[in-house]
Structures are given as structure tokens and as C-alpha cells.
């Protein structure tokens, strides 16, 4: 039995179909979850002796699917996308262009839009080789990522010997922000357990700040954005003064030490001082609680590197694939070090700069308001592949309320715009489903979209923003009514 029993039957069917193939085209998405999905599936196919090629797509649309059909592969494995495009894929399958196997966690296309023979599961399009948590009542935004679905498939393909791939599945889930409440839950948790048993994952309670492995302490504190620490966050001098006031020797050979360089006792002292600062400056208790969270690390990776920590690893991967260097990220996932890792680190510098400039720009310009949503139009200022990350990170900053979803536009090409939408768990609890919003509103202006309830995206024709926003505002209003 696999790590997610509800998916056993589907996983076995998908694995058997793949094992029948002579060779496989593996197509995946260009983000941390898509890269880890591809790495997991590729390793599992290799171990099963299946010849395959890997390709990455920014967005799987009708044109890209047609290009995939044109490659002449008889079997195509889609990971971290495919479900949302089952309408298009099903028509290719019906036409005999290729056989599809899908391991995904996005909301599937409507059954009504799929080719005949693709049955309905709860209204979703479905077929025999479709591995998706949403089809068995598991949440695809918080309980299983694309990499998790790929891992379930890998276990069906190769059994226990593929348990080492659980580490990559943890990176994918964390990269898709599935651990935002602090820890991985549901099916993700079962994968963590597999990883721990296989000796490739460690789970600890630790400071939640991003950069414990690689950032010098002042940077670790200064850039802490999730919990705003008055006089420390976004304040270099403040962060340094805070550290210097502690009765600790936090420099070694004149250089600031990192969190992982500290002893347990030193960490305790520093963490207590942070909590103390937050309390005296009136940070709400529930935010202070978020300063300590579950941390996932990989004991087989070198300490002090991005590869050791799930959150830093996932950011490193986003820095490659979202800048047209998925090959670099895939190599790193597959264990190559040396040049690919150096390359990924250079890309990471660039990614960080872009995120920080993007967030600064949004904060400076501010967002515009509709009744039920807020939005900004970045034009060419923010790369379309990261505008969603920027929107998500801006949510909760000065002037960007968490009580409304945020919609962001960026230029995709001469005649199309990329749209990214982000919400919060609380809004989803009140009925928000951004996947449905993006799909319906984009179709109203001849575009297309989809995703998850809490985070979704779309492509629309340039110039149709107003009509699109009208539809978005109306649908969100209906959902939250
Ligand atoms: O395409 P994919 O599923 O991999 O992307 C998921 C996106 O949703 C990520 O960019 C992630 O940051 C975002 N997300 C979010 N908040 C959540 C869950 C996911 O912003 N709670
Ligand atoms: O939002 P948070 O403070 O947790 O982000 C920590 C870091 O993770 C950011 O500095 C950014 O580089 C990275 N990040 C990312 N992709 C996301 C969310 C955050 O690369 N979807
Ligand atoms: O691109 P962005 O990070 O905003 O995407 C958020 C979520 O919406 C991702 O899971 C992505 O795969 C999905 N999406 C989609 N269709 C689109 C654009 C994004 O399913 N056209
Ligand atoms: Zn994903």
C-alpha cells in the first residue's frame, strides 16, 4: 500500500499504464513543485527502466499541448499540471494523438467540457490514468502537491525503494506554500513520515524565519517578512542593534554567524529575545506563535547550504525554472552539484532582487480597489512568471489588506496579459474559490485560467482588464455572500 491509500487504485493504474509504454514524454510545470514533480517521476521511470524525455512548460495551453502531440510520443506523463487542461488533452486522446497519464493537484476541467468517454467525478473530468487528490476528497491546495502526487505514482512504480524521493516531495509541497499554517498536514504528512523513515527528511520545531541555513543573522532578521518584528524587520540598523544588545558572541572571525552556526543555548536566548521584543511592541499573540514552526530539513545535504532546508531549496528551484532555466533546477534535484548548483545560486541572487524590487514597487504604487477585490497592474515592471509570488508576498503589507483577494496583472507578450490571484485561508473558509473565479472571468473575455481555491491564475487578451475585473468582482462577491 502506498503513502496515500485513497489514491492507491489510481496510482497502480497509472503505473501499469506507464510500464506498458515503450518510451514516455514527461511534461511538467516551471516552478519548484513542477521541478520536483519531474525529478521524482524521472527518477522513478529510470529505476523502472523506462526510456523518457523531460520537457517543461510555463503554461499548458492548447498550443503547447498541440506541440506535445506533435512530438510523436505515444505516452505522455503530465506532472503538476494536466488536470485543469483535461478538456483539451481529452480531445487529443480521443483523436488518438497520444495516451495521457496525469499526476496533478490542480482543479480538473469540467466533465462537460471533456471529450466523450471521459467520465465525471463530482463534476470534474476524469479518466482511468488520472492521479489527483481532489478526485478522492483530498485538498489539492493544502494536503498534496504535484510533487506529492508524483511521489505517490513513484511508490506505485517502484515500491519502498522510491521512498528516498519523499525529500523532493517535501520541497515541492513547501514550494507551493502548503505548509503556510506552519506544518505539512494530511497526505503531505504521510509523505513526511515516509521521508523520516527512509532517513532523508528531518522534522523539528525551530524558528520559522526564512534563511536559517544561509543568511547571516542580521539578514535573517531584517528580511523576516511573515511576522513583522517592530524595529527589526526591514531595518538593517535595527536588526544589528538588536543582535549587538544580546549578551552573545554572534561573530566569528569578524563575520556574522548564521542561525545554524549557533548552539542550542544561543538559539534559545536569541529566540526568547525576539519573542520579548514582539511582546513589548504589541505584536498580537497569534503572530508571535508563528515565530516558531515545523521545519523540514534534509540530513543528507550539507549543512549551511540552500539544499539542507525545504524552504530555501524550493526558492532556489523557483529561481531557475521561472527564468527559463528549468534544466538547471532539474539537475540540482537529480543530485548534480558543481556547475548546476553554482548556476542556480547566481540565478537565486537575481530572483531575490526581482522579488524585492517587485514588492517595493507594489508597496510604493499601492493597489486599486474594487468592491470585493484589490488589484495592481505591473505591466513590464514585474516578470509574469513571478508576479503571483509578489502578489502573495505583498498581501498583508502596508496598504494591502488580507481581507480581500489580490489580483495582479503583468504583460505576457504583445497581445496577452498574465493574471495571478491570491487569497487567504480565512477567505477560502468563507467560500472563496479563485480557481473558479479565474476560469470563469477569463473565459468571459476569451482567455483561460484555473488553479487552486487560494491561488490561481489566467491569461487574458491585452486591453480586456476592465471587463475581466468586472467579472472577477461579481463572482468573488457571489462566493463570499
Ligand atoms: O502551480 P502551482 O500549484 O505549483 O502553484 C501554487 C501557487 O499557489 C504557488 O505560487 C503558491 O505560492 C501559491 N499558494 C499560495 N498560498 C497557499 C497555497 C499556494 O499563495 N496557501
Ligand atoms: O513570504 P516569506 O517571507 O515566507 O518568503 C520567504 C522567501 O521565500 C522570500 O524571500 C522569497 O525569496 C521566497 N519565496 C519564493 N516563492 C514563494 C514564496 C516565497 O521564492 N512562493
Ligand atoms: O502563475 P501563478 O503563480 O499565479 O499561478 C497560481 C496557480 O494557478 C498555479 O497553481 C498555476 O498552475 C495555476 N494557473 C492555472 N492556469 C493559468 C494560470 C495559473 O491553472 N492560466
Ligand atoms: Zn503545484
Amino acid at each position: 500500500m502506498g503513502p496515500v491509500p485513497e489514491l492507491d487504485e489510481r496510482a497502480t493504474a497509472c503505473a501499469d499504464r506507464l510500464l506498458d509504454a515503450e518510451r514516455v514524454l514527461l511534461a511538467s510545470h516551471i516552478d519548484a513543485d513542477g521541478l520536483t514533480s519531474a525529478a521524482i517521476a524521472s527518477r522513478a521511470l529510470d529505476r523502472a527502466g523506462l526510456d523518457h524525455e523531460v520537457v517543461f512548460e510555463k503554461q499548458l495551453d492548447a498550443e503547447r499541448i498541440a506541440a506535445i502531440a506533435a512530438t510523436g510520443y505515444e505516452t505522455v506523463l503530465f506532472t503538476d499540471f494536466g488536470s485543469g487542461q483535461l478538456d483539451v488533452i481529452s480531445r487529443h486522446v480521443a483523436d488518438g494523438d497520444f495516451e495521457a497519464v496525469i499526476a496533478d493537484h490542480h482543479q480538473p476541467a469540467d466533465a462537460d467540457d471533456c471529450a466523450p468517454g471521459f467520465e465525471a467525478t463530482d463534476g470534474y473530468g476524469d479518466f482511468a490514468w488520472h492521479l489527483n487528490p481532489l478526485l478522492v476528497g483530498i485538498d489539492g491546495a493544502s494536503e498534496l502537491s504535484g510533487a506529492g502526487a508524483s511521489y505517490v505514482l513513484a511508490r506505485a512504480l517502484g515500491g519502498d525503494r522510491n521512498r528516498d524521493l519523499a525529500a523532493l516531495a517535501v520541497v515541492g509541497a513547501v514550494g507551493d506554500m502548503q505548509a503556510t499554517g506552519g506544518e505539512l498536514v494530511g497526505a503531505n504528512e504521510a509523505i513526511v513520515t515516509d521521508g523520516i523513515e527512509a532517513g532523508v527528511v528531518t522534522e523539528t520545531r525551530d524558528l520559522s524565519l526564512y534563511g536559517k541555513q544561509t543568511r547571516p543573522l542580521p539578514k535573517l532578521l531584517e528580511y523576516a517578512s511573515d511576522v513583522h518584528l517592530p524595529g527589526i524587520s526591514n531595518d538593517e540598523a535595527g536588526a544589528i542593534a538588536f543582535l549587538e544588545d544580546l549578551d552573545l558572541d554572534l561573530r566569528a572571525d569578524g563575520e556574522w554567524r548564521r542561525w545554524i552556526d549557533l548552539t542550542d543555548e544561543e538559539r534559545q536566548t536569541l529566540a526568547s529575545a525576539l519573542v520579548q521584543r514582539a511582546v513589548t511592541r504589541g505584536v498580537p499573540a497569534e503572530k508571535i506563535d508563528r515565530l516558531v514552526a515545523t521545519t523540514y530539513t534534509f540530513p543528507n545535504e550539507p549543512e549551511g547550504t540552500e539544499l539542507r532546508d525545504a524552504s530555501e531549496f524550493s526558492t532556489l528551484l523557483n529561481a531557475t525554472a521561472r527564468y527559463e532555466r528549468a534544466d538547471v533546477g532539474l539537475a540540482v534535484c537529480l543530485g548534480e552539484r558543481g556547475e548546476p548548483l553554482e548556476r542556480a545560486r547566481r540565478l537565486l541572487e537575481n530572483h531575490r532582487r526581482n522579488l524585492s524590487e517587485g514588492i517595493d514597487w507594489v508597496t510604493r504604487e499601492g493597489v486599486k480597489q474594487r468592491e470585493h477585490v484589490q488589484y495592481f497592474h505591473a505591466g513590464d515592471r514585474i516578470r509574469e512568471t513571478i508576479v503571483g509570488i509578489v502578489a502573495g508576498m505583498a498581501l498583508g503589507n502596508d496598504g494591502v489588506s488580507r481581507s480581500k483577494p489580490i489580483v495582479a496583472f503583468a504583460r505576457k507578450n504583445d497581445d496577452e496579459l498574465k493574471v495571478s490571484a491570491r487569497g487567504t485561508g480565512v477567505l477560502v473558509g468563507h467560500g472563496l474559490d479563485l480557481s473558479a473565479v479565474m476560469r470563469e472571468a477569463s473565459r468571459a473575455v476569451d482567455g483561460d485560467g484555473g488553479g487552486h481555491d487560494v491561488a490561481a491564475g489566467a491569461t487574458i487578451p491585452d486591453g480586456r482588464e476592465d471587463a475581466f475585473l468586472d467579472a472577477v468582482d461579481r463572482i468573488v462577491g457571489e462566493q463570499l455572500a
Side-chain angles (χ1 to χ4, degrees):
M1 209 162 70
V4 185
E6 298 92 324
L7 285 169
D8 269 346
E9 208 175 307
R10 288 172 182 271
T12 306
C14 290
D16 288 347
R17 179 62 191 80
L18 290 169
L19 291 168
D20 273 346
E22 216 153 278
R23 52 181 202 140
V24 175
L25 180 64
L26 168 52
S28 197
H29 193 206
I30 55 138
D31 66 0
D33 190 34
L35 276 175
T36 48
S37 298
I40 290 167
S42 176
R43 254 291 121 77
L45 292 175
D46 268 341
R47 288 175 182 172
L50 273 166
D51 188 18
H52 65 281
E53 184 186 348
V54 186
V55 293
F56 289 93
E57 302 291 350
K58 186 151 67 178
Q59 201 58 60
L60 193 63
D61 53 21
E63 192 188 321
R64 299 315 306 156
I65 297 169
I68 284 171
T71 60
Y73 275 87
E74 278 172 19
T75 306
V76 183
L77 169 59
F78 295 92
T79 59
D80 194 34
F81 56 24
S83 295
Q85 299 75 24
L86 193 59
D87 47 351
V88 180
I89 291 173
S90 65
R91 283 192 281 279
H92 281 282
V93 172
D95 289 347
D97 293 343
F98 55 76
E99 285 291 0
V101 177
I102 299 176
D104 189 10
H105 67 134
H106 292 96
Q107 289 193 15
D110 289 344
D112 293 346
D113 295 331
C114 294
F118 283 73
E119 69 268 35
T121 300
D122 296 337
Y124 291 136
D126 196 10
F127 70 119
W129 303 307
H130 193 191
L131 182 53
N132 184 317
L134 292 158
L135 300 166
V136 296
I138 295 173
D139 186 3
S142 64
E143 297 181 317
L144 196 70
S145 68
S150 302
Y151 175 74
V152 170
L153 174 62
R155 287 287 309 274
L157 275 166
D160 279 0
R161 75 175 164 158
N162 280 340
R163 286 200 312 175
D164 60 330
L165 302 174
L168 287 169
V170 169
V171 175
V174 168
D176 259 11
M177 311 257 301
Q178 298 204 335
T180 38
E183 66 185 319
L184 293 171
V185 298
N188 279 323
E189 203 177 353
I191 298 177
V192 169
T193 304
D194 265 12
I196 292 171
E197 281 172 15
V200 295
V201 175
T202 308
E203 183 184 34
T204 50
R205 296 285 296 170
D206 203 346
L207 191 70
S208 63
L209 305 188
Y210 175 90
K212 292 190 286 294
Q213 295 289 328
T214 61
R215 284 184 173 165
L217 288 167
K219 297 283 171 213
L220 178 77
L221 300 188
E222 179 191 342
Y223 294 143
S225 59
D226 185 33
V227 180
H228 184 82
L229 298 162
I232 296 177
S233 302
N234 296 317
D235 183 345
E236 185 179 7
I240 292 176
F242 169 82
L243 290 165
E244 285 177 336
D245 274 353
L246 299 173
D247 192 17
L248 294 174
D249 191 6
L250 297 177
R251 287 193 178 86
D253 301 325
E255 301 279 334
W256 284 101
R257 295 158 74 199
R258 300 162 300 185
W259 180 258
I260 50 134
D261 299 323
L262 305 183
T263 63
D264 284 347
E265 208 175 324
E266 288 169 326
R267 289 181 195 179
Q268 197 59 53
T269 307
L270 176 42
S272 306
L274 282 174
V275 170
Q276 193 59 43
R277 162 70 64 103
V279 171
T280 52
R281 294 292 197 94
V283 176
E286 68 269 16
K287 283 207 168 175
I288 297 179
D289 285 346
R290 294 219 302 264
L291 277 172
V292 174
T294 305
T295 299
Y296 302 96
T297 49
F298 308 116
N300 301 332
E301 300 293 349
E303 219 184 349
T305 68
E306 298 84 357
L307 308 172
R308 179 89 168 192
D309 173 276
S311 172
E312 293 199 57
F313 197 155
S314 74
T315 304
L316 183 75
L317 295 179
N318 275 324
T320 65
R322 292 181 190 259
Y323 298 82
E324 279 141 42
R325 290 311 303 266
D327 58 318
V328 173
L330 182 63
V332 171
C333 286
L334 291 173
E336 280 182 51
R337 300 296 178 249
E339 176 49 28
L341 183 54
E342 286 316 312
R343 191 68 202 238
R345 285 180 173 145
R346 289 198 296 276
L347 288 161
L348 179 60
E349 289 307 312
N350 173 56
H351 179 48
R352 278 199 205 300
R353 197 167 46 243
N354 287 341
L355 288 180
S356 127
E357 286 172 9
I359 291 161
D360 286 351
W361 183 82
V362 174
T363 313
R364 213 169 43 241
E365 294 287 312
V367 292
K368 297 192 176 67
Q369 303 292 334
R370 286 284 180 116
E371 191 177 352
H372 303 287
V373 297
Q374 52 195 336
Y375 69 97
F376 66 86
H377 199 321
D380 291 314
R381 286 182 196 82
I382 302 177
R383 210 182 151 87
E384 52 120 345
T385 54
I386 63 163
V387 73
I389 300 180
V390 172
M393 291 176 77
L395 212 54
N397 279 8
D398 275 352
V400 190
S401 159
R402 288 180 67 82
S403 60
K404 279 182 179 181
I406 185 165
V407 176
F409 298 92
R411 174 162 300 285
K412 183 167 182 155
N413 53 41
D414 282 349
D415 33 51
E416 287 176 314
L417 298 174
K418 168 66 196 296
V419 188
S420 280
R422 296 291 187 270
T424 66
V426 173
L427 289 168
V428 169
H430 289 132
L432 181 72
D433 178 358
L434 289 173
S435 177
V437 173
M438 286 296 113
R439 179 162 296 163
E440 286 176 39
S442 64
R443 288 196 175 170
V445 297
D446 304 314
D448 202 8
H452 309 289
D453 48 15
V454 72
T459 300
I460 62 166
D462 193 11
R464 306 292 298 277
E465 301 91 301
D466 278 335
F468 174 77
L469 277 169
D470 289 343
V472 168
D473 201 39
R474 178 180 51 76
I475 302 166
V476 171
E478 285 163 10
Q479 290 179 349
L480 296 177

